[in-house]
Amino acid sequence: MKKAYLGIDIGSISTKGVIIDEEHNILASVYLWTEGNPLGASKKVIQELASQIDLDEWTVVAAGTTGSARKLVGAMCNASIVKNEITAHAVGTTTLHPDVRTILEIGGQDSKIICVEDGVAVDYAMNTLCAAGTGSFLTSQARRLGVDVEEFGKIALGSKNPTPIAARCTVFAESDLVHKIQMGHKKEDIIAGLCNAVANNYLNNIGKGKKILPPIVFQGGVSKNEGVVRAFADSLGEEIIVDENGHLMGCYGAAILAHGSGIEKPFSFDVADMEFVTREVICENCPNHCEIICVYRDGELIDSWGNRCERGVIRS
Amino acid sequence: MSAKPYNLTYPQLGNYDIPIGFLVRKGLGLAYTSPPPMTKQTIELGAKHSPDYVCAPFKCMMGCYIEAMEKGANVIIQTGGTCRLGYYGELHEQILKDLGYDFKIMNLTLAQYGGIMGILGGIKKYAPKRKWSQIAKVIPTVAKMIKSIDKVEDYMRKNMGFEDIPGSFEKIYKHFLSKLRQAETTKDVEELYHLTMRSFSRLPVHKPDDPVRVGIIGEYFTIMDPFSNHEIEKKIAMMGAEVHRWMDLSHSVLSCPDDNALDMLRSYAKYDLKRFPSSIWVDSQRKKIKKYVSEDMGASSVATIAMADHYAASGFDGLVHVKSFGCTPEMDAIPVLHNISADYKIPILYLSYDTQSSDTGIETRAEAFYDMISMRKEARQS
Ligand code: SF4
Ligand code: SF4
């Protein structure tokens, strides 16, 4: 049996998973929608990953999780490591692109920038407050224009004269967009303008004050949009690298970190068939009223967290 | 005010209510009520009865005052001098009076108090029968308590991240605090301090020769109150770092950078609580940061910049800037910190707390920051 490592990235919109070998080659990968059910999505990811590899040949000796539901799914998978998204993305990306200097990322609901020097992150910023630079903004504007957001990129590339759109914040951008439609701007110009707006909003917000040096790798759901890719390339005057595996960087990083942790913990694909339930318990021992999350596997408590002090510890 | 005997209280700020309570009880001979440990309820209560736009320290203090008065306090102590807190006392007073509380406020920031003598006079008003000598007698113990707390915590920050037995530092520290509450004399405090440091030094630790070092800088209240900053120091230390923080009561109000007695005396004689980090430090610190700023931007900003520069120049791996949301002086310091960060190539994590900050969010950012600086250090060492 050869050793393999599993990584899962559970975001609010999508859940991604990989299995890698000791040389960090990807053996299996899955991408699907979270649909508000991180445990269910993770189980599906695990099932599909299992179907992609030969279980007689490989044995998963360590698992790592990242993303917003990393702790919960980490408990489910008996993970060796549970890591924040920034570290996981930085590790994943620098492994595949050892010379990368800047990682741009725009996801469905948040965006981040990571500056890299000699293969390690030296600066980062993340933004979860302003929606104007994210995928959900593009999706909602596409709806307004009656266009499928997947078509956005191609349409934008057809524009010779992108409409300038004020992109300081979502509210401004929306009213400006309505105004530009009424003025009779061409649809492809408006769409190209929106793509520019997203890129500029990003550069002016989280990219502010950061040295954006090449090679630049662009990731996250929005990186699939050629219009935004071109907008970044134009604004920065640099080539923008979009990796076809860009969406996997978080889970890939988590798998590498699981390997690097040196902690081997038995992982079983059977978790996909077990029942996991979470329950929230309010600690009544002091006015902090901590909300303690308890995770049960087939009725048995396997983990709990959320208590600020030891008086709130819940044991099985 | 009713004829009830005075019962004083001071808002939670780290563990400094221990020495303040001692000063009140033993020095002034008055009753003292500790506000209950701060909880979410304190903050909610404080926020509910505060203007929306004020900075978080105001709201925390408001919550503490209310909880302490519910426990029987009827004189609230307001120290200040840092920026808006200088007149926040009046606002606290007005709101609490409107809520129907019957109390007095010992507002140590009132302009009329002027220098240190004025302040002492103001305090004395509450204990008219007390002799000056009785008050003066406890001052060394109070000072010793403050210095002991600061030194014990300083040692913890630098070492607890490398303990072999989880929780070993915390256990000794808790014991220290509970014993300190019972201390009666300077000698008690001294013995307790030495005992605590000895116990610390005996704990098994595995600290590398060149550990990850992080400096904490920022706004006066939030930096010194672990509840308000979500125990940021402990969080980072426990990931495996030596955490340094200069800002504490010893450095900001007690100790003096001058090393000869005459200069010291002169500094203390001109003592001015309105200058920050204190009139004793501010000029020397300002001189040190001349290349970055020419003006004092108020409150703790001078110390923030001076210490950022100092830590960066000493080769620290990262800095964490801590402030309450809406804190103007510290906001003004940020562009300067950007310059320091660029000059020394030192990463800085900026944390701005409001009363609704989520623990998970802070944890995530602190972890990402620690990962970054520790991986960078590792790459440099190899
Ligand atoms: S866990 Fe601790 S801090 Fe939280 S409510 Fe319970 S006793 Fe209070
Ligand atoms: S220094 Fe900052 S936190 Fe303190 S009173 Fe001023 S604005 Fe508020």
Side-chain angles (χ1 to χ4, degrees):
Chain A
M1 289 278 247
K2 287 188 276 183
K3 287 184 178 180
Y5 305 86
L6 180 128
I8 304 184
D9 175 359
I10 318 94
S12 47
I13 300 200
S14 60
T15 299
K16 292 123 313 203
V18 286
I19 295 179
I20 59 169
D21 64 13
E22 286 187 281
E23 269 76 58
H24 299 164
N25 300 307
I26 296 178
L27 305 172
S29 71
V30 178
Y31 175 104
L32 45 81
W33 302 121
T34 308
E35 291 173 331
N37 180 1
L39 283 173
S42 305
K43 281 184 181 177
K44 258 194 245 159
V45 162
I46 290 169
Q47 258 167 356
E48 284 193 32
L49 287 173
S51 72
Q52 289 179 26
I53 61 165
D54 182 353
L55 293 177
D56 294 326
E57 189 186 348
W58 300 99
T59 160
V60 172
V61 294
T65 58
T66 186
S68 49
R70 59 185 179 276
K71 219 162 170 171
L72 179 57
V73 176
M76 175 174 112
C77 298
N78 194 22
S80 301
I81 197 160
V82 173
K83 260 298 161 204
N84 63 82
E85 303 88 304
I86 302 251
T87 307
H89 271 96
V91 168
T93 313
T94 51
T95 306
L96 281 190
H97 302 272
D99 54 350
V100 65
R101 292 299 306 275
T102 313
I103 302 169
L104 313 176
E105 187 182 317
I106 307 183
Q109 294 192 330
D110 53 13
S111 45
K112 45 183 162 302
I113 183 166
I114 307 175
C115 305
V116 181
E117 231 176 85
D118 303 323
V120 288
V122 290
D123 196 7
Y124 69 83
M126 62 197 290
N127 176 15
T128 48
L129 286 179
C130 177
T134 66
S136 31
F137 170 69
L138 281 180
T139 311
S140 65
Q141 299 319 310
R143 210 168 294 142
R144 182 188 292 278
L145 291 163
V147 178
D148 197 7
V149 73
E150 266 89 62
E151 301 294 308
F152 245 54
K154 266 183 213 78
I155 300 175
L157 291 186
S159 161
K160 299 227 161 42
N161 202 358
T163 305
I165 288 170
R168 289 296 300 268
C169 90
T170 332
V171 181
F172 278 133
E174 264 180 2
S175 62
D176 199 32
L177 183 83
V178 172
H179 175 69
K180 296 287 157 63
I181 295 173
Q182 283 161 350
M183 280 174 50
H185 285 258
K186 276 196 252 159
K187 205 178 242 178
E188 67 254 32
D189 291 342
I190 291 184
I191 290 175
L194 273 175
C195 294
N196 288 346
V198 166
N200 291 330
N201 179 286
Y202 177 96
L203 294 173
N204 289 327
N205 280 302
I206 78 162
K208 198 169 181 182
K210 303 266 179 280
K211 275 208 199 83
I212 301 183
L213 301 169
I216 302 166
V217 173
F218 179 27
Q219 300 172 347
V222 176
S223 68
K224 306 267 182 257
N225 181 322
E226 296 103 319
V228 180
V229 177
R230 187 180 73 173
F232 271 127
D234 290 349
S235 282
L236 295 168
E238 298 287 351
E239 189 203 347
I240 304 293
I241 303 162
V242 179
D243 193 313
E244 56 166 333
N245 284 331
H247 56 289
L248 297 177
M249 283 312 136
C251 56
Y252 183 54
I256 294 170
L257 286 162
H259 180 197
S261 74
I263 307 166
E264 297 196 352
K265 280 190 184 181
F267 170 83
S268 160
F269 284 97
D270 295 340
V271 293
D273 303 321
M274 294 180 188
E275 193 201 26
F276 288 87
V277 179
T278 56
R279 234 183 41 190
E280 207 181 286
V281 183
I282 309 281
C283 176
E284 298 291 350
N285 290 336
C286 95
N288 268 333
H289 295 310
C290 295
E291 290 153 16
I292 304 168
I293 311 283
C294 301
V295 188
Y296 299 84
R297 179 183 55 215
D298 288 338
E300 180 200 343
L301 179 72
I302 54 165
D303 202 357
S304 72
W305 61 83
N307 45 308
R308 269 185 181 229
C309 80
E310 66 275 17
R311 282 195 292 155
V313 175
I314 295 182
R315 289 202 180 81
S316 44
Chain B
M1 174 101 198
S2 56
K4 269 187 280 169
Y6 291 138
N7 183 331
L8 278 63
T9 191
Y10 181 70
Q12 293 285 345
L13 172 65
N15 293 296
Y16 292 128
D17 89 296
I18 302 177
I20 306 264
F22 187 85
L23 175 67
V24 170
R25 276 197 312 265
K26 301 282 152 128
L28 302 179
L30 296 171
Y32 179 82
T33 299
S34 285
M38 256 204 255
T39 64
K40 217 161 69 186
Q41 181 183 295
T42 319
I43 309 255
E44 277 162 13
L45 201 61
K48 188 171 145 204
H49 296 297
S50 301
D52 234 5
Y53 57 85
V54 302
C55 47
F58 182 93
K59 299 177 184 174
C60 294
M61 290 186 190
M62 183 63 108
C64 285
Y65 286 143
I66 295 177
E67 287 186 339
M69 287 201 276
E70 292 295 335
K71 270 178 73 183
N74 59 20
V75 178
I76 64 176
I77 306 174
Q78 163 85 37
T79 51
T82 87
C83 158
R84 298 188 268 196
L85 288 178
Y87 65 76
Y88 275 177
E90 284 78 353
L91 198 54
H92 276 131
E93 183 176 9
Q94 191 58 52
I95 295 173
L96 289 167
K97 289 254 149 86
D98 290 348
L99 285 173
Y101 287 102
D102 184 13
F103 68 100
K104 278 192 187 273
I105 179 165
M106 184 194 278
N107 192 342
L108 301 183
T109 58
L110 284 181
Q112 72 206 48
Y113 286 156
I116 188 116
M117 293 323 282
I119 287 180
L120 287 176
I123 294 175
K124 179 89 171 33
K125 272 206 304 223
Y126 289 86
K129 295 211 191 75
R130 212 64 179 168
K131 288 200 211 71
W132 276 112
S133 60
Q134 284 173 301
I135 300 174
K137 224 177 83 193
V138 302
I139 302 282
T141 318
V142 171
K144 189 81 210 165
M145 280 180 165
I146 295 177
K147 289 199 169 178
S148 301
I149 294 178
D150 290 342
K151 284 198 187 134
V152 164
E153 290 184 353
D154 184 66
Y155 190 88
M156 287 247 295
R157 281 193 287 272
K158 291 177 181 161
N159 294 286
M160 71 190 302
F162 308 98
E163 65 187 2
D164 287 337
I165 308 161
S168 55
F169 274 88
E170 192 84 21
K171 203 167 144 201
I172 294 173
Y173 175 61
K174 287 223 168 101
H175 181 77
F176 163 77
L177 289 178
S178 74
K179 285 281 178 226
L180 191 65
R181 286 190 190 274
Q182 296 157 18
E184 297 275 335
T185 61
T186 312
K187 195 163 154 267
D188 288 352
V189 181
E190 253 161 24
E191 277 174 12
L192 176 63
Y193 169 71
H194 289 299
L195 181 77
T196 307
M197 293 307 267
R198 247 198 327 272
S199 314
F200 274 166
S201 68
R202 289 205 191 108
L203 288 176
V205 288
H206 58 281
K207 189 167 169 179
D209 293 336
D210 182 14
V212 170
R213 284 185 302 162
V214 176
I216 312 264
I217 50 174
E219 172 247 310
Y220 199 59
F221 182 89
T222 307
I223 197 175
M224 289 202 280
D225 188 57
F227 185 83
S228 300
N229 64 38
H230 293 244
E231 301 194 304
I232 185 68
E233 298 172 344
K234 191 171 145 195
K235 281 194 171 83
I236 293 180
M238 294 318 268
M239 292 173 194
E242 189 179 286
V243 175
H244 292 236
R245 157 163 58 95
W246 177 86
M247 180 60 82
D248 55 26
L249 278 199
S250 299
H251 284 118
S252 65
V253 299
L254 286 183
S255 67
C256 174
D258 301 316
D259 34 41
N260 73 69
L262 198 68
D263 286 345
M264 272 190 190
L265 213 64
R266 211 175 285 143
S267 288
Y268 284 120
K270 287 188 306 192
Y271 200 91
D272 179 1
L273 259 185
K274 289 198 286 291
R275 312 227 15 227
F276 247 77
S278 83
S279 58
I280 306 177
W281 282 94
V282 74
D283 291 327
S284 65
Q285 286 196 332
R286 276 189 65 182
K287 235 178 265 156
K288 288 197 186 119
I289 54 171
K290 259 212 315 265
K291 66 174 166 175
Y292 286 113
V293 274
S294 53
E295 299 301 318
D296 180 350
M297 292 179 282
S300 37
S301 62
V302 169
T304 295
I305 296 166
M307 292 320 292
D309 182 55
H310 170 75
Y311 292 140
S314 318
F316 275 47
D317 300 290
L319 300 175
V320 179
H321 181 242
V322 161
K323 71 171 181 65
S324 63
F325 182 78
C327 171
T328 329
E330 291 295 331
M331 214 132 68
D332 292 343
I334 289 180
V336 185
L337 295 178
H338 282 315
N339 292 339
I340 292 176
S341 172
D343 288 354
Y344 292 95
K345 294 193 122 203
I346 183 169
I348 304 182
L349 173 65
Y350 298 93
L351 294 176
S352 190
Y353 295 85
D354 64 19
T355 48
Q356 286 162 38
S357 295
S358 97
D359 208 48
T360 339
I362 289 158
E363 176 105 42
T364 302
R365 301 189 57 197
E367 184 190 279
F369 184 73
Y370 176 80
D371 288 344
M372 178 174 84
I373 59 174
S374 61
M375 286 177 183
R376 184 171 177 233
K377 191 177 187 88
E378 232 170 79
R380 280 184 174 174
Q381 281 168 342
S382 59

